[in-house]
Amino acid sequence: MATDVPLAVDYETLFRAGPGGIVIADSSNTIVQVNDHMLEWIGFSREELVGNSFTRLLPAADRILFSARAMPLLFLDGRVSDLSFNVLGKDRVARAVHLSASRVNQRPEAGEAPSLVGTTVFLFTPRRERTAEEEHLISAVRHAEKADALRREAEYDLARSAQFDALTSLLSRVGLMPRLADMVRNAPPACDLVTFVLGLDHFRVVNESLGQAAGDQVLKAVADRLLALTDEGSLCARVGDDEFVVVGPGSARGVSFADTLLDIVSAPILVDDLDIVVTASIGASESPITTAEGIAPASLAETQVRQATSAMYQAKAMGRNRWKRFTSVLDDSAINEIRLLGEIRAALADGQFRLEYQPQLDLETRRLHGYEALMRWDHPERGVIGPAGFIDVAERSGLVNQLGAWACRVAIERCLQLNASPDAPPITVSVNVSARQLGDPRLAEMIAELLAESGLDPALLTLEITETGLITDSPGAHRNLELLHGHGVRLSIDDFGTGHAGFAYLKDFPVDELKIDGSFVAGLGDSAEDEAIVASCIDVGHAMGLSVVAEGIETREQLDRLAEMGCDVIQGYFYSKPLRDDSLDTWQPSI
Ligand code: C2E
Ligand code: MG
Ligand code: MG
C-alpha cells in the first residue's frame, strides 16, 4: 500500500555509500565527483580522478564505443542504460561493468544543487559479459583499424619497389609499363598486342555501403580471376583504385576475349556471406606492332594503355557493363573536353574567373570566423559556372595549377584587405587546393612567395585539402604540407569522412583543422549513424588538438546539434550562401 509519509533521505550518504560506483562529470566529460564505492573498486584516490577526463577510465576500444554509442544517445535521449563497458583501475586491469548514465538537464528543483545542471551522472555496476552486438561493433572497428594499419605497412614496403600492388599482388602501373615496353620490343613480327583496361562500375558504392574491407575483398577476387585467365605471355596489373589492365598477344585470343572478361568479373563474389555482383566497363586497344617501326617501345606502350583507357570511359558513358574498342576518331566527349580545356585557358587569361566567399561562423562566440573562397567562372555565353563545371577538366590536364595559383593570389589579397583594421578580430580565408596542385613541387614556394610579397600573417590563410589529396602517395604532397606547415599556413582536411582515409591517417600529416562533410551534417536529427559519425569526428578532432568545422548547415536544428556537440566553426546556407566579392564589406552576420 502506498504511504504518504515523507521519506527523509540523506542524499550525501546515498551518493557516498550507494551500492554502485557513481561518477559525475561535467559537460566536457571532466570528472567533478566520484563516490567511495567507485574509488574502492578501481583503486584511485578522489584527488587522482577529480579534474581529469572521464574517458581516461576507459580502455581504447571502450572510448570508441563511448563516443560512437553512448554520447549520441546521451545527447538524444538524455540517458543510456545497461551498456556493457570495461573500466580501467589504477592497476590497469579492466573491470567489466554495466554503465548507465543520465544527463541533468532540467532546472534544479528547490533544494537541488544548481551546480549539477549540465552534468552527467554515470552509474557502474559489475557485469559478466558484453553483449554480442557490442563485441561485434568493437571487433569490427578493431578489425578495420588493423586492416588499415596492415595495408598501409604493406603499401609502404611495396612503394619502395613500387612494382606490385599491395592489395592484389598484381603488377602496379609502375611495374606494368616497362614490362609492356619489353613485350612490345620482343613481340614476334606480325603479332598484334591487345591491351584491355577494365574499370569496375560503381565500385564506390560497394565501398560506401559495405565498407572498405568488403571493397578490398571484391578487388582481390577480381584480381584473382583475371590472373587465372591470363597465361605466361600476358600481363595483368591493377593501375588505379578500381582499374585493371590485361595485355596479351591479340592473335592468340582476339578482342572477343573482352566478352570473357566481362563474364568473369560479373560472376557473383562472396563477401561476408553475401553474393556481390559487380560489373566492369572495358576498353580495348589493338596496336599492330609491325606498323609501329621507329616509335620507341615505351611510348607505344603508353599510347596503348591511354587509348584503352579512353575506350573504357566511352564504354562507361555508353551505359557500363560492356566493352568498347578504341578507334582513332575521338568521340564527342573527348572533343568536348579538349574544347573546354581551351576555353578555360583563354578564360583565365581573359579574367573571367572570380572568387566568391562563404562566411564561416565561430559557434562559441557566434561571430564571423572567416571565409571559404570558392571559384566561379563568368562564362560570356553560359552565365555563371561553378567548380563542378570545370575543376575536373582543369585537374586532369594540369591547368588546375595555374587556376589554383590565381585563386591563392586573389584570396591572399582579399584576406589582407579584410584584416586591414588592426583592432578588429582576425578573419581567416580558406582556399581549396586540389590533389594535383598538392603534388606540384612548386606549390609551397609559390604560396610562400605570395605571402611574403603581401605581408599577410600566414596563420590567416587556410588551405583545404581533400582526403584523396593526402592519400595519393605523392612525396611532393608530403613535402608541400611540411613546408607550408613550417611557414605557418593552416591546413584543413576538406570533406572529412568521405574519403575512407580513417582517423589513423591524420597523425602522419601536420593538419590543423577537420572539415566534416555536409552529407553527414544533413543527417543530423534524422540519422543516428550520421549523429554518431559527426560526434566521433568532433571528439577525435579535439582529441588530436584540431579545430573542427562543419559544412553544409542548412537548418537551425543542425546548427543547434553541432553547438551541443562542441563543434568549433560552421559554414552553410543557413548562415549564408557564398557571397560575391563586392557584397562582402556590407554583409553582417545575423545569428
Ligand atoms: P567544398 O570545398 O567542399 O566547398 C563547399 C561546397 O558546398 C561549395 O560548393 C559551397 O557552395 C557548397 N555549400 C556551402 N554551404 C552549403 C549548404 O548549406 N548546402 C549545400 N547543399 N551546399 C553548400 P561549390 O562552390 O560549388 O564548390 C564545389 C567544390 O569545388 C568545393 O567543395 C571544392 O572542392 C571545389 N572548389 C571550389 N573552389 C575551388 C578552387 O578555387 N580550387 C579548387 N581546386 N577547388 C575548388
Ligand atoms: Mg572546401
Ligand atoms: Mg567540403
Side-chain angles (χ1 to χ4, degrees):
M1 217 178 85
T3 168
D4 291 324
V5 179
L7 210 58
V9 180
D10 177 354
Y11 285 107
E12 171 128 16
T13 310
L14 196 61
F15 170 75
R16 283 190 171 275
I22 301 177
V23 174
I24 300 177
D26 69 14
S27 56
S28 58
N29 286 329
T30 303
I31 297 175
V32 292
Q33 196 46 273
V34 50
N35 76 347
D36 296 349
H37 190 103
M38 187 76 186
L39 295 174
E40 266 168 42
W41 194 20
I42 59 176
F44 284 107
S45 69
R46 187 163 276 116
E47 292 67 28
E48 286 172 303
L49 291 185
V50 170
N52 280 310
S53 170
F54 165 75
T55 52
R56 258 189 48 183
L57 294 175
L58 306 178
D62 294 73
R63 283 186 205 175
I64 298 170
L65 202 60
F66 181 74
S67 62
R69 173 70 54 91
M71 290 286 282
L73 282 174
L74 268 172
F75 275 118
L76 279 180
D77 304 338
R79 64 181 64 240
V80 293
S81 51
D82 277 340
L83 296 180
S84 299
F85 270 81
N86 291 301
V87 162
L88 282 180
K90 189 166 182 177
D91 50 12
R92 307 300 296 161
V93 174
R95 287 137 176 91
V97 295
H98 283 299
L99 172 69
S100 299
S102 55
R103 277 163 70 89
V104 184
N105 286 325
Q106 291 86 13
R107 299 183 60 74
E109 307 245 347
E112 247 183 358
S115 58
L116 284 183
V117 175
T119 60
T120 306
V121 181
F122 296 94
L123 173 69
F124 297 85
T125 47
R127 79 168 160 90
R128 280 205 216 99
E129 288 191 74
R130 254 197 245 278
T131 68
E133 189 209 355
E134 282 156 342
E135 277 305 347
H136 188 70
L137 181 65
I138 290 178
S139 80
V141 171
R142 281 216 169 114
H143 184 75
E145 281 179 351
K146 217 188 224 166
D148 204 36
L150 285 173
R151 204 192 66 234
R152 272 183 294 118
E153 220 171 81
E155 277 169 355
Y156 175 76
D157 286 341
L158 288 174
R160 272 178 298 184
S161 64
Q163 302 286 308
F164 294 93
D165 167 48
L167 180 69
T168 61
S169 307
L170 296 184
L171 288 169
S172 65
R173 183 184 286 276
V174 175
L176 170 72
M177 295 320 289
R179 286 172 176 80
L180 180 53
D182 280 350
M183 209 167 174
V184 169
R185 195 177 294 114
N186 302 326
C191 164
D192 292 355
L193 272 191
V194 185
T195 299
F196 300 94
V197 171
L198 288 84
L200 300 186
D201 297 329
H202 304 300
F203 181 67
R204 247 184 90 126
V205 180
V206 176
N207 262 343
E208 280 171 5
S209 12
L210 302 175
Q212 192 166 349
D216 285 356
Q217 286 186 51
V218 169
L219 292 170
K220 271 195 203 143
V222 170
D224 290 347
R225 290 174 185 185
L226 294 180
L227 210 54
L229 206 69
T230 50
D231 47 38
E232 261 190 25
S234 309
L235 294 172
C236 195
R238 177 172 173 230
V239 295
D241 282 352
D242 53 5
E243 278 178 31
F244 298 86
V245 170
V246 175
V247 194
S251 50
R253 54 174 61 116
V255 244
S256 66
F257 183 60
D259 286 327
T260 316
L261 290 174
L262 285 175
D263 288 344
I264 61 150
V265 172
S266 62
I269 298 170
L270 191 67
V271 176
D272 295 338
D273 289 336
L274 294 175
D275 270 337
I276 298 175
V277 176
V278 289
T279 58
S281 300
I282 300 178
S285 156
E286 303 160 90
S287 286
I289 294 175
T290 40
T291 62
E293 276 164 29
I295 304 179
S299 104
L300 250 187
E302 290 277 352
T303 307
Q304 208 163 7
V305 172
R306 196 176 53 244
Q307 290 180 345
T309 307
S310 126
M312 184 268 285
Y313 282 117
Q314 289 176 21
K316 279 200 193 274
M318 288 163 66
R320 300 183 160 86
N321 192 20
R322 66 192 64 218
W323 72 274
K324 176 107 181 61
R325 187 183 276 124
F326 175 80
T327 49
S328 54
V329 183
L330 287 175
D331 74 347
D332 283 355
S333 63
I335 291 175
N336 286 342
E337 177 153 341
I338 291 174
R339 284 210 183 110
L340 180 58
L341 190 59
E343 275 193 275
I344 299 172
R345 197 196 293 270
L348 189 58
D350 194 33
Q352 290 172 18
F353 286 99
R354 62 185 168 81
L355 294 180
E356 286 196 349
Y357 298 86
Q358 188 173 26
Q360 300 179 324
L361 174 81
D362 183 315
L363 260 186
E364 199 184 343
T365 61
R366 304 277 159 141
R367 287 165 65 164
L368 180 69
H369 168 83
Y371 295 96
E372 176 175 11
L374 295 159
M375 212 182 278
R376 300 289 179 262
W377 177 6
D378 285 327
H379 193 282
E381 283 127 39
R382 283 184 278 152
V384 180
I385 302 179
F390 57 87
I391 282 288
D392 282 355
V393 172
E395 172 98 12
R396 277 198 286 277
S397 64
L399 194 60
V400 78
N401 289 335
Q402 288 173 47
L403 265 182
W406 169 85
C408 285
R409 192 173 59 248
V410 174
I412 285 175
E413 277 165 20
R414 195 64 176 101
C415 187
L416 203 63
Q417 288 168 10
L418 287 166
N419 289 283
S421 153
D423 305 327
I427 296 173
T428 62
V429 171
S430 303
V431 183
N432 292 282
V433 171
S434 75
R436 176 97 181 224
Q437 282 176 271
L438 196 61
D440 177 6
R442 292 156 301 183
L443 178 80
E445 282 82 359
M446 182 270 290
I447 290 178
E449 267 171 36
L450 288 174
L451 284 168
E453 276 168 24
S454 67
L456 181 75
D457 173 2
L460 295 177
L461 178 69
T462 302
L463 298 181
E464 293 191 4
I465 301 139
T466 57
E467 282 173 306
T468 351
L470 283 187
I471 55 184
T472 43
D473 207 7
S474 140
H478 220 131
R479 178 177 166 273
N480 274 328
L481 290 173
E482 293 295 345
L483 284 175
L484 288 163
H485 180 73
H487 289 309
V489 175
R490 295 182 76 249
L491 300 172
S492 171
I493 310 291
D494 203 354
D495 306 339
F496 187 74
T498 60
H500 309 291
F503 290 132
Y505 225 89
L506 292 175
K507 290 200 301 283
D508 300 339
F509 299 98
V511 174
D512 303 277
E513 181 181 284
L514 292 188
K515 236 180 140 175
I516 304 174
D517 191 62
S519 57
F520 303 119
V521 172
L524 289 182
D526 293 332
S527 148
E529 196 185 344
D530 285 347
E531 292 259 346
I533 291 173
V534 172
S536 311
C537 290
I538 295 174
D539 282 357
V540 173
H542 285 167
M544 299 182 80
L546 311 179
S547 161
V548 181
V549 182
E551 66 183 336
I553 286 83
E554 294 186 352
T555 66
R556 158 72 64 187
E557 191 187 3
Q558 290 163 356
L559 182 136
D560 290 342
R561 291 292 297 122
L562 288 161
E564 281 166 17
M565 289 177 175
C567 181
D568 302 298
V569 174
I570 55 128
Q571 174 184 343
Y573 294 168
F574 179 72
Y575 184 43
S576 168
K577 292 208 160 178
L579 303 166
R580 296 184 72 99
D581 184 272
D582 51 14
S583 53
L584 220 56
D585 293 324
T586 51
W587 179 80
Q588 286 294 325
S590 61
I591 280 186

